Structure formats: C-alpha cells, structure tokens
Amino acid sequence: MRITIVKPDWGIRGGFEVVADRVEQDLRGAGHIVDRLEVPVGAIPRTPFGVPVADEVWTRAPEWFSHLAMLEAFRGLDVRGADLVISTQPPSYAVDHPRQLALFYHHARAFYDLEDVWIAAGRAPRAVHTASAALLRSTEAPDLARVAHFLAGSRRVRERLQDYQGADVPVSLYESAAPTVGVSAGDFAHVLTVSRHEFTKRTELTVQALSLGSTPGVLVGDGGRLPFVRDLSGRIAAGDVDPASLTDQELWLNLGMPPERTSTGSSPRVRILGRVGDDEVATLYRDALCVVAPAYDEDDGLTVLEAMAYGKPVIVCRDGGGLTALVEDGVNGFVVEPDGASIAAAVARFAADPALARTMGAAARERVAVRTPEHARRQLLEAIELAMAGGSR
Amino acid sequence: MKKSQEASPAAMEPRDVEALMTMAEIVLLAGGAVPTVRAEPHGAPAGSTLGVHARMAHDTVQHARYLLSQQQVLGPTRLSLPKRVLLRVSRLFTYRLVAASQSLADAIDHLVRVHDEALDEVERVGNSLRAQIASVEISAQDAIDSLAGRMLTGGTADDGELTTSRAAHESRLAMLEGRLAEVERERAADRAEILRLRNRSSVERGAQSGSTAPSEGTTPVLDDDTYTLFERRFRGSREEIRTRQLDSLRFVSSLAGTDRPLLDLGCGRGEWLDVLRSADIPAYGVDSNSAMIAEAVDVGLDARCEDAISHLRSVPENSLGGVSAFHFVEHIPVSVLTQVLQAANLALAPGGVLMLETPNPTNLVVGAASFYLDPTHLRPVHPDFLSFLAEACGFEDVEVHYIHPVIEPDVLHEGAAPIADKRMARVVESSEWALFGAQDYVVVARKAGGQE
C-alpha cells in the first residue's frame, strides 16, 4: 500500500532521524510504497491561522507561535492519495487522514510534561506559560484525538500519552533496535557522557560528578548550552565555585546563558570535546569504564541502548524517564539520585572495582540483545495493522 | 543536593498580555479551521447536489474569513500598545460575531435548500458547528479566566504605570465578560435557529411525501363507529376518562388564563378539552374520527374533524401554548412520531408545554397483554425512547411521570409487614412495579426559550 511519512524538517539530524530512516527502510522491505512529505520549519510564515504576529510578540513565546504555525501547515497537507499516513514529531499528527499512525516520541514538551520545569528554569513567566500551555493543549487535542494509533518510542512515552490523551488512547510500543557495534572491549578507563548540551539533558551533573570524584571523564556532544557547560567546568577548576554546594538552579535549571567573561580555569580530569566523528565516539565507548546518562525525564532510552550495546554499565538518574527502562540497578548499571554526588559515588564503585564494571557491562550487552531490528520491525508492522483497523475511530 | 528557591516568577508585562491575546486569537481561529476542512466532503462525487452545496457552504465560510482578514485596516505599529491590545481584544469578539452571523448563517442557508440527500449533511455540519461553538467558548473562557487570574494576582506593580495598566486591564476584563455574555446569548439564538431550520425542513419533507398516521396505521382496522364502541367498552366511559384526566391538569396549569391555545391531538370525545375548559385553559382538539368529534361538538367543545398531523403542520410557528396527545403516539409509526414532535416544536411558542400520555410497557401486564387489546395500537413506546426523541427534536426539561397504578401503593401496602430479607424485598418491589404499577406514563417537556 501507499504510505506517506509526514515530518517537520528541522534541518538537523539526530537520533530520531535515524529511527525514521529505519522505519522507512522496513516499510519498503515489507513491499510498501513510501513517500516522505517534509515541512521545512524555517520556511513557515509568521502568520499562524492568518494572524500576523509582530516580532516583539513572537519572541515572547517563539516555541508556541511556531508550533501553531506548524500545526496549521500540517492540517493543510494533502495526503488523500495515501492509504496510511505515518506522522512523526510534533505537530505532524495534525495531518488530516483517517488512518494515521503516529510514531510518537514526545509532545511539544514545554507545554506538556516539561511545563513546570520550564517555569522553574525561568524560561517563561509562570503567568504566561501556564495559560499558553493550556491554550496549546486544548487547540491540538482534536488533532491528537484523530490519530488512529500511536506507536510510542518507550514505556515512558506511552505513560505520557495516557496522562494527556486518556488511559484508553490506542497505543503500542516501538522499541527501536540497538545499534550493531564491533565487539572489542577496551580499557575501562574513563567516564563517558554522550549527549547534546541542551536544557534537561543535564550534562552539568556529569561535570559536577567528575569534579567531586577522582576518575577522569569525557563529554561528547554539541548543543546550545555547550559554552555554559564549559564555563561551569572552568569555574569549578579555578576554584570560583564549590562543586559540592551547587544548586539545581546553578547547574541545569536555568537559561544556560553563556557568561560574559569566560572562566579561564580548566581541569585535566574533565574533557569537554563538543562534536566528534563517529569513529572517535566508538573508540571513546570502547575505552569507557562506565557511561553516565544524566538527563531529566528523557523520552526514550536510545543513549542507554547504545552504551549497553558497547557492553558498558550505565549510570542514570531516578528521574531519567525513558533512560531508566533498561537499567536494572546493581545488575547492568546504577539508578541514582539526580545529583553529582550520587553519580560520583556510583562512578567510584566502578573505579574501585573494574571487574564489577566488566560484569555489569556484559549483563548490559545481554540485556539489549533482544532489541533486534526484527523485533522493532514486527512492532511496526503490527501497529500498521492496528492503525488500518482503527481508522474509523 | 541543595535546592535554592524557585526563580521568582517574573511579573506579567504588557507585552505578555499582548502575546496571550494574540494566542487566544490564533486559538479561536485554529478551532474554527477544523469544521471548515470537514465541511469539504472528500468522498462526495463532483457535481452531485450534495457536493455543490457543501462547496458553496465552504466557499462562503472562506469568503467571510477573507473579509474578516481585510478588517485589519489599521496598521498596528501606528497605535500605542494599550490601543493595540484593546484592538486585539475587540477583534477577538467581532470575529466571532461576524463569523457567526455571516458565514455560518450563509452556510446554513445554502445547506437547508438541499433535498433529501443533503439532510444528513446539514445535521453533520450542524454538529460540527456545535462542536466549534463549544470549543470556542471553552478557549475564550480559558483565556479570560487565566488572564483574570494573572491580572488580579500576577503583577507586582512596583511602579505607577503598571498599577494603572492593571486597573485598565481589570475594567477591560469586565467589559469583555459583558461581551462574552452577549455572544453567548447570540449563540443560543443561533442554536435555536439551526434546530428550527432542521425541524422545518423535516416537517416540509414529510408534508411533501404525504405521510400521515391514519393512512399508515389505523383506518383499515376498525371503522369509526366500531372504534367508538371499542373505546367506550375498554377505555372507560366519558366520565371515567374525564376523572382520570383531571389529574393531568397539573402538567399544564401554567397555561391557565393565557392567550395561546393548547392543541390536543387525537382529542376523541373531548374529555380532556372539557377538563381544560373548566380550568380556564384555552384549547381545541383535532381527531379524524368523525363520530367522536360529533360527540365533542355536541357538548360545545372546539373539536375539529381533521387529520391531526396535517393540522399540526399547518399551524403557524410559535403560536401554541401547549400540545397534548393522550394515547396517540402508540398509534403511529416512529417516522411519523418524529415529525409530530418536530412540528409540535415549531408550532409551540418558546416555553410551550408538550405532554404525551401513552401505555407504560414497563408494566408487564400492559407490555405483554393489554397493550394489544386495542387492534389499532402499532407498538409500545418505551418511556426512555420517547424522552430521548423529545430531546432530539429540541425539547428541554423532559420529565416522565408514571400514572394510573393498577393498585394504589397505599392500598397495596396496607397492613403488610415490612420484609426483612433484602433480596426478597427487592423481588417483591419489582414484582409490584411490574404487575400492579403504573399502567400509563406521561412525558412532559418544554420548548426551549420562554421567560428566562
């Protein structure tokens, strides 16, 4: 049958794009004709639903206005030729088709599950944000209600769907395949965090943990908060701040504005590399003692999945959302309190006992062995059946 | 890990108020866009009557929207901020009023002209309009509530300008709430109009196809004289029926001394008209049984020998104070019953009373046996269904009253010892209802509108 994948084009390539490519490949493999219909986010005019929004108003809530502009664009897409439509990131589910399968990893999070955190970090005044979040949710509720079936990227995502769309939302799981990596265990030498530096990714906790412990560590990844994270590390190294007394607001619950005057300090124990090539990432994984995934309430466990495929134990935080799904505390990693000291304590256990890290790493690889491409493909094809059957909803 | 105090929420700035207003405006339009897209039937074959009319309705809505967009003639940058906010606020509501009165009325006007096949479409569009109304109301209310909350509590107002702007916002809010109430009144009127149009077109359709009760139900079974004899034998004498109907006066007591008459459908010998006359309630009746009408006219009642349903259709809109029918609905097919209710809704003045008495099939003896004693009965009408149908045809405050028990409860329970066993008590209670309970029930309802 003819399947159209609709997707906002953000002009970047991240984990989700890899998943979307995999889905497209599986669909073609199953004999379907697949089209992609992408809406370039940058090209959307600033007139959602015909209302011209002045720049000074738009900048009060850019995420809100661009979401609504996108919502309008997706509602207007002509997908009548498709037998089935697969929607992807928000708000592509606004596409109007009776048989829509939503490959769903998250809502527009600032207005859903991150609403409170958004306010706490000072990213929007409470008065404006709660009202605008409610308006946004009520506006797109009918769009979400029209989706015939949701394919949730993790159990955590399924929970959120049930929270916001109701307990009876038609949803099944999509557990994407673990990446295939060459098996050649390295040195178990350093702590590794592979993550973009963005709000709620909480890479600051890795910096704090490394500063409090004695094991060296590496942070890999680009992102808007990279200058802030670097400066934080520098200020700690220069002795300007005491890593033990940093608050959430000082660490991650803030706007992450880069400082006017960059700190000159640097620590030999904390290497913040920014973006690096795939080969170097693979080498860093192989030589890692353990992987720290400190993010707050993640959608899926893709980071953990990758680390475990490399045979490394993983440290995640109790409030890590989808990250915690694969980690069994004390078996293939540790689930700790969301602060640097707790992470540092878990790292210290591996440093003191590398054999423990090896055992848990082996258990981790075993844990993700079931996450095969075939497993994911079956979940995808079953969901398509459900979406075709549930099309009358 | 120590946690410092949450960053203190910034006070609401005028710019934020404007942002929220813009958001509310977008949301209203976003909510409106859904039904418009829906009104375009994907599957309708090009050139069919249905397709053409739906397209016309759709284009009308689009046109209205275009006109509205042109309404924004004042360049916003030339106005001061408070004026811009005010302009936005007022546009929020003018959009709604204009869109409601112009595009929706035009769209509905096109749609009601469609023939049989488009009737379903009218209903569908009507439903989606109702959904739109509901969502618009909710969003507007949300926006106002949240703004009200923010404006009254949010601002820190540490300078004079902010205090002044807050006071100004408060007074604007009061004004907005006034306008919202106004819009809601208008909306109720729109809703009533949609219902009226639907009932009208359905009633006219019925008149064209010429479906009436007697031709489909009663005439072939018994001739007029035989049925008069039958009624006397099994329903009771004129006096017995009159006594029974005295009790029903309570349902129409509000009509005493008013101008608009009550129309009794299937008035028979006019016992009920007689009761109404004694209570100073203006009334007349129609019945197709000439023998019975002759008896009624003999005692000076206004009773006319006419087909009840044809007559009801010919009554001017909003002209009746009440419509009653005793043991009538069980004689007509459901399709005709629906038309009777729709025609009654049109004929009644706002607040007018509808009153329908019929055998109670939840009494087992009635439902299983006595109902079928009358060979002109078609099928029992369940009280829940009759109530539902009345609501569906636009009646409000629908009530069901169970009357005429086989044995009055106080007589039945006289000297009876209480039953201690709960299950046995339940068995006895439901048996009493099923065997000795109400033989008839009355549905009483009002046409929307009236005094309020």
Side-chain angles (χ1 to χ4, degrees):
Chain A
M1 76 192 155
R2 186 173 279 279
I3 299 177
T4 301
I5 299 178
V6 293
K7 193 179 171 308
D9 178 8
W10 293 93
I12 55 167
R13 238 189 106 69
F16 186 81
E17 279 68 23
V18 176
V19 172
D21 288 349
R22 180 80 226 177
V23 164
E24 183 174 343
Q25 199 182 321
D26 282 344
L27 294 174
R28 289 190 201 280
H32 300 299
I33 302 163
V34 186
D35 307 307
R36 278 229 197 181
L37 201 50
E38 302 207 346
V39 174
V41 179
I44 302 269
R46 292 189 164 189
T47 52
F49 294 94
V51 178
V53 182
D55 283 354
E56 68 269 22
V57 173
W58 186 281
T59 50
R60 298 307 286 185
E63 296 91 354
W64 196 98
F65 288 113
S66 72
H67 187 87
L68 267 285
M70 294 290 285
L71 191 78
E72 186 186 19
F74 278 102
R75 278 185 185 173
L77 283 188
D78 183 358
V79 287
R80 276 173 287 180
D83 300 308
L84 174 85
V85 168
I86 298 184
S87 62
T88 54
Q89 291 128 316
S92 58
Y93 40 71
V95 64
D96 184 16
H97 194 283
R99 289 171 303 280
Q100 182 193 155
L101 173 66
L103 180 62
F104 198 88
Y105 275 61
H106 58 89
H107 291 92
R109 297 190 65 194
F111 309 105
Y112 285 83
D113 47 288
L114 290 184
E115 183 183 339
D116 293 337
V117 176
W118 213 257
I119 295 163
R123 300 177 78 88
R126 178 181 293 281
V128 179
H129 196 67
T130 46
S132 62
L135 283 174
L136 184 138
R137 291 196 301 264
S138 75
T139 306
E140 66 175 15
D143 299 280
L144 284 158
R146 279 203 310 271
V147 173
H149 191 80
F150 287 92
L151 195 49
S154 76
R155 283 163 210 277
R156 178 68 189 124
V157 173
R158 184 173 62 187
E159 263 174 39
R160 290 188 202 143
L161 275 168
Q162 287 164 342
D163 283 351
Y164 288 102
Q165 265 63 54
D168 56 348
V169 61
V171 60
S172 58
L173 276 184
Y174 182 66
E175 295 167 314
S176 60
T180 326
V181 298
V183 186
S184 62
D187 273 351
F188 287 82
H190 55 250
V191 175
L192 177 64
T193 287
V194 180
S195 167
R196 288 178 57 76
H197 299 279
E198 300 293 356
F199 181 55
T200 75
K201 294 292 182 188
R202 226 163 42 180
T203 45
E204 297 85 358
L205 291 194
T206 301
V207 171
Q208 187 191 25
L210 292 173
S211 310
L212 291 169
S214 54
T215 316
V218 185
L219 287 90
V220 168
D222 204 348
R225 290 175 71 100
L226 181 57
F228 176 84
V229 174
R230 282 205 162 115
D231 178 66
L232 174 72
S233 177
R235 280 183 292 138
I236 295 172
D240 294 347
V241 285
D242 171 13
S245 67
L246 287 165
T247 63
D248 281 348
Q249 273 68 31
E250 288 164 319
L251 286 163
W252 67 278
L253 208 50
N254 54 45
L255 296 177
M257 300 296 270
E260 281 170 25
R261 209 161 41 80
T262 322
S263 164
T264 50
S266 80
S267 160
R269 270 210 316 281
V270 187
R271 288 163 61 211
I272 301 173
L273 299 184
R275 190 183 179 83
V276 301
D278 289 352
D279 288 351
E280 195 178 348
V281 174
T283 309
L284 286 167
Y285 265 124
R286 281 194 197 97
D287 290 341
L289 170 70
C290 63
V291 172
V292 174
Y296 171 77
D297 200 4
E298 279 290 87
D299 309 323
D300 53 63
L302 294 182
T303 322
V304 172
L305 198 62
E306 187 173 52
M308 287 187 162
Y310 277 101
K312 299 298 173 182
V314 185
I315 299 168
V316 297
C317 299
R318 185 178 40 76
D319 58 2
L323 293 175
T324 61
L326 291 165
V327 182
E328 209 176 323
D329 190 34
V331 176
N332 51 24
F334 290 114
V335 181
V336 303
E337 288 302 304
D339 57 70
S342 304
I343 295 171
V347 169
R349 288 184 64 180
F350 289 129
D353 185 2
L356 179 70
R358 278 175 208 280
T359 315
M360 284 201 187
R365 179 177 289 149
E366 210 168 297
R367 176 73 182 81
V368 298
V370 294
R371 295 285 291 262
T372 60
E374 176 52 30
H375 175 73
R377 201 175 68 90
R378 215 168 36 240
Q379 288 180 326
L380 171 69
L381 298 181
E382 276 167 16
I384 286 179
E385 295 296 318
L386 291 169
M388 294 300 287
S392 56
R393 179 169 111 97
Chain B
M1 172 97 240
K2 277 173 290 182
K3 296 212 176 198
S4 71
Q5 281 259 293
E6 177 186 305
S8 69
M12 184 105 119
E13 293 171 26
R15 195 73 78 201
D16 292 327
V17 176
E18 198 185 5
L20 276 178
M21 286 302 179
T22 311
M23 287 174 184
E25 187 178 347
I26 292 169
V27 165
L28 289 180
L29 290 169
V34 181
T36 307
V37 175
R38 294 277 161 280
E40 196 172 10
H42 285 193
S48 75
T49 322
L50 179 59
V52 170
H53 282 272
R55 165 63 63 185
M56 278 165 71
H58 177 254
D59 289 350
T60 312
V61 172
Q62 291 302 331
H63 182 64
R65 196 158 277 156
Y66 169 75
L67 289 177
L68 290 168
S69 70
Q70 299 305 300
Q71 193 180 304
Q72 208 187 331
V73 281
L74 288 170
T77 46
R78 296 184 51 206
L79 296 172
S80 68
L81 180 68
K83 276 187 188 157
R84 260 187 286 158
V85 171
L86 191 60
L87 187 68
R88 274 213 191 288
V89 171
S90 62
R91 270 224 315 275
L92 258 174
F93 292 89
T94 50
Y95 266 128
R96 284 190 56 197
L97 285 171
V98 179
S101 59
Q102 208 172 307
S103 69
L104 303 188
D106 287 355
I108 289 165
D109 192 41
H110 283 310
L111 285 168
V112 286
R113 279 186 221 134
V114 187
H115 314 304
D116 292 359
E117 62 167 332
L119 266 155
D120 292 346
E121 182 68 7
V122 177
E123 186 147 5
R124 209 169 61 82
V125 170
N127 283 339
S128 109
L129 289 176
R130 273 191 286 281
Q132 181 185 357
I133 288 161
S135 83
V136 163
E137 279 170 0
I138 289 166
S139 335
Q141 194 58 53
D142 276 0
I144 285 187
D145 286 351
S146 93
L147 278 172
R150 304 302 162 246
M151 287 176 189
L152 296 174
T153 63
T156 52
D158 37 9
D159 63 54
E161 195 191 331
L162 258 183
T163 318
T164 319
S165 113
R166 219 170 78 186
H169 287 321
E170 278 166 28
S171 73
R172 266 174 225 145
L173 254 181
M175 177 200 78
L176 279 181
E177 276 163 351
R179 284 202 188 175
L180 187 66
E182 202 176 288
V183 166
E184 269 157 8
R185 275 196 297 280
E186 190 130 332
R187 179 71 52 229
D190 282 351
R191 246 196 291 259
E193 183 60 9
I194 291 171
L195 180 80
R196 194 189 68 82
L197 287 169
R198 204 190 61 187
N199 282 347
R200 182 87 266 165
S201 81
S202 172
V203 165
E204 271 160 16
R205 187 160 62 111
Q208 278 161 23
S209 67
S211 60
T212 57
S215 61
E216 285 177 40
T218 61
T219 20
V221 186
L222 295 176
D223 65 55
D224 284 4
D225 290 335
T226 318
Y227 194 70
T228 310
L229 271 178
F230 172 86
E231 281 264 283
R232 198 163 291 156
R233 168 88 60 92
F234 291 104
R235 256 204 102 202
S237 70
R238 192 184 168 82
E239 206 41 48
E240 283 164 340
I241 291 181
R242 191 180 186 281
T243 311
R244 242 183 279 159
Q245 289 182 332
L246 260 176
D247 178 49
S248 299
L249 259 184
R250 59 194 164 116
F251 303 126
V252 293
S253 52
S254 62
L255 301 178
T258 55
D259 297 339
R260 293 197 179 90
L262 177 147
L263 165 60
D264 187 35
L265 301 171
C267 65
R269 293 171 297 196
E271 296 89 344
W272 172 238
L273 294 176
D274 196 19
V275 169
L276 293 170
R277 183 167 58 182
S278 61
D280 192 25
I281 293 173
Y284 71 103
V286 292
D287 200 302
S288 53
N289 185 316
S290 54
M292 288 191 183
I293 288 294
E295 280 193 47
V297 172
D298 277 352
V299 293
L301 294 165
D302 183 355
R304 309 166 193 180
C305 186
E306 248 182 273
D307 173 59
I309 296 160
S310 309
H311 177 79
L312 188 56
R313 283 191 191 119
S314 70
V315 173
E317 282 185 27
N318 302 321
S319 64
L320 296 177
V323 171
S324 63
F326 289 82
H327 294 260
F328 177 78
V329 301
E330 67 274 22
H331 291 269
I332 56 177
V334 174
S335 58
V336 179
L337 172 57
T338 309
Q339 286 179 32
V340 167
L341 291 177
Q342 288 171 329
N345 192 271
L346 285 172
L348 282 169
V353 183
L354 172 78
M355 179 191 157
L356 305 169
E357 183 186 309
T358 184
N360 170 24
T362 68
N363 175 319
L364 290 189
V365 178
V366 173
S370 59
F371 180 85
Y372 299 98
L373 179 61
D374 185 334
T376 65
H377 279 180
L378 284 187
R379 46 164 286 182
V381 184
H382 195 282
D384 290 350
F385 177 67
L386 193 55
S387 313
F388 159 78
L389 205 57
E391 269 176 33
C393 293
F395 287 95
E396 288 181 350
D397 304 333
V398 181
E399 294 170 2
V400 178
H401 299 268
Y402 292 91
I403 55 173
H404 308 148
V406 180
I407 304 175
E408 291 291 344
D410 47 347
V411 177
L412 189 63
H413 296 139
E414 203 177 1
I419 304 169
D421 182 280
K422 271 189 185 167
R423 192 168 70 98
M424 193 49 69
R426 271 205 299 275
V427 170
V428 170
E429 194 186 331
S430 37
S431 313
E432 282 176 359
W433 172 267
L435 299 174
F436 308 125
Q439 300 170 88
D440 300 308
Y441 71 91
V442 182
V443 163
V444 183
R446 282 181 185 282
K447 176 172 176 174
Q451 293 90 334
E452 329 72 332

